[in-house]
Amino acid sequence: EQEYTGGTIENPIISIRWGLPDRIRRDWDNLIAMTKPIIDSLTMASILVDDSVRDYIPRYGWFDSPKKPLTEIKVYRLEHDD
């Protein structure tokens, strides 16, 4: 368990990747639908300003995880060169 104390992140990139333990075919739309509770939790924890499509940039992917299924969630702050 990790505690975040960095405050709200404006317009972050949210990377969600699934570790797949086998070669069973999975539909992207089903995996992406499973992200709603993740995004809602980030909003409730005040990490995201809001869960509107304009308030974060999603990135999805997968990786081999032969021992067990995993979900990896990373939130990145966008760096601007203004």
Side-chain angles (χ1 to χ4, degrees):
E1 185 174 313
Q2 298 177 7
E3 183 177 336
Y4 175 76
T5 59
T8 301
I9 301 173
E10 302 255 346
N11 299 316
I13 295 172
I14 300 176
S15 171
I16 302 174
R17 297 187 335 138
W18 293 273
L20 305 177
D22 50 43
R23 295 286 179 196
I24 295 174
R25 291 176 51 96
R26 289 169 175 83
D27 293 338
W28 273 115
D29 55 345
N30 290 337
L31 290 172
I32 292 170
M34 293 174 14
T35 65
K36 181 172 176 30
I38 296 167
I39 302 301
D40 287 348
S41 296
L42 292 172
T43 304
M44 289 176 60
S46 297
I47 295 170
L48 296 179
V49 173
D50 191 42
D51 60 356
S52 167
V53 296
R54 296 178 185 204
D55 289 314
Y56 68 94
I57 300 166
R59 299 271 167 87
Y60 304 110
W62 66 274
F63 58 95
D64 288 322
S65 179
K67 293 185 180 179
K68 62 181 177 180
L70 298 171
T71 301
E72 173 190 271
I73 304 160
K74 293 183 179 180
V75 181
Y76 298 96
R77 186 180 312 270
L78 274 179
E79 301 297 330
H80 296 283
D81 294 335
D82 294 335

